[in-house]
Structure formats: structure tokens, C-alpha cells
Amino acid sequence: MPFALLRHAPTVWNGEGRLQGLTDTCLSREGEAAARQWRLPPPADRWKRVSSPLQRARRTAELVRPSMPVALDSRLREMSFGIWEGFTVKELRAAGGETFAAAEAAGLDFHPPGGESPRMTMARLSQWSSTLTEPVVAVSHKAAIRALLALATGWNMLGRPPHKLDWTCLHFFVAQGGGRVTIERLNVPLTP
């Protein structure tokens, strides 16, 4: 079953480089303006729309054209960064020293205190994709989409990802049997 993923439009915290996780931030003024200009390319422009319940994703799903009703699915939410939400990686590296460096070196098992690992996020999205019965455009979040990329490619989340994702583009995948996912096309521009 084909599906497409779109990262929400920018927030103030995105501009500041802060980990948002489950903190329910809204789109920035610039993010609202950008999402209003985005238009889904065919065939995704005719697909059902579903979104993370976090307002930055939900609002993006409502603004992207063509306009369409939006269903919410909590499995599309961002990875929880626990007590690290609201901080930048630079701040966490400075304060956490070797402890934070060890956490970063864990790849798929990077697990913020009180949060969720990429492996856990990947399992949640695998389960979501296995329930698709029709093509959808899903509006989600950067860490969640990176976890899905890891699922599709076998990337262990150490080093650079196997594909560079443009966060202002649409990414097409195919849900296979048993919760597997494959890449169809990445970085498909949203027509202005």
C-alpha cells in the first residue's frame, strides 16, 4: 500500500534548534505561510489525509492544498525526548558530557530519560503502516520520519542517513506485509 510522509511546517523551536518531541508547539508565522503555499503533487493530491495529533502537524495537514478533511492518528506523533525537550543538542552536549555522548552513540537505542527510543518509534510506525487499507498522506515529525527511514533501509541511525531528506518535500513509501516498509521516491517537491 503506497503512502506519503510530510514533515510539519516550521515552528519557532525548529528555528532555535530545540527538541520538541511531545511538547505541543504551534507553527511559527513563517511556518503557517509556508504550509499555505504547499500543494501536494499527484497522485498524493487525491489521497486521504492523516496527521499526528500535535498541533504543528495537524495545522500543516489542514493548510496544505488541496484542502481536505484530516483524520488524526497518535501513532504518527513525534518521538518523545522526555526531559530533554526544549533543549538544543548543543546545550545537551555541553551539560551532559560523556553521558549524552554515550546516549547519542546508541543509534536506534538512543533513549532520552523519560522518553522514547528511535527503535520504539520505528515499531509504532511499522504497526501504523501495517494497518493501511488505502493510500494516505501522513503529516508527521522529523524524528518519526527518520525512524521510518531506518525501518525502510536498515539504517542503524549511526552516522549519516543513507538518504538525505529535504524537510520541505514529500516522501513516498510502500507498506509491505508484516510491517515492512520500502522507499518509493524521496524528496518530491511540493508545488508552490
Side-chain angles (χ1 to χ4, degrees):
M1 183 62 60
F3 66 95
L5 284 173
L6 175 64
R7 183 190 186 199
H8 63 79
T11 68
V12 170
W13 276 20
N14 287 141
E16 296 172 352
R18 299 194 178 282
L19 298 175
Q20 292 174 105
L22 300 183
T23 303
D24 201 8
T25 56
C26 62
L27 296 180
S28 64
R29 188 174 301 124
E30 296 80 12
E32 285 256 349
R36 287 180 196 284
Q37 296 301 311
W38 291 347
R39 181 169 182 79
L40 296 171
D45 59 345
R46 297 183 309 276
W47 293 354
K48 178 181 170 184
R49 193 134 341 130
V50 63
S51 172
S52 155
L54 295 171
Q55 66 178 319
R56 59 193 183 268
R58 188 179 66 241
R59 185 68 177 145
T60 300
E62 292 167 351
L63 292 173
V64 71
R65 295 178 290 138
S67 183
M68 181 175 294
V70 177
L72 301 180
D73 193 314
S74 65
R75 294 171 293 184
L76 294 168
R77 72 188 180 277
E78 178 61 296
M79 185 177 111
S80 171
F81 289 99
I83 65 170
W84 292 341
E85 290 183 13
F87 294 95
T88 67
V89 171
K90 182 178 180 181
E91 291 168 340
L92 292 167
R93 284 179 179 151
E98 289 182 22
T99 302
F100 187 74
E104 284 187 295
L108 284 172
D109 296 309
F110 167 84
H111 198 154
E116 174 180 36
S117 71
R119 189 180 305 278
M120 295 163 72
T121 306
M122 188 168 60
R124 171 169 40 91
L125 291 168
S126 172
Q127 196 279 331
W128 167 78
S129 69
S130 71
T131 64
L132 294 177
T133 58
E134 63 182 306
V136 299
V137 172
V139 181
S140 190
H141 307 268
K142 182 178 181 178
I145 295 170
R146 284 171 49 93
L148 197 118
L149 179 66
L151 175 65
T153 63
W155 175 42
N156 63 5
M157 295 192 107
L158 293 172
R160 294 193 185 278
H163 302 279
K164 182 165 176 51
L165 299 179
D166 182 331
W167 299 113
T168 63
C169 287
L170 195 62
H171 310 289
F172 287 85
F173 294 86
V174 177
Q176 308 287 342
R180 292 179 307 114
V181 171
T182 56
I183 295 171
E184 184 179 302
R185 290 178 293 152
L186 300 175
N187 301 319
V188 177
L190 297 164
T191 57

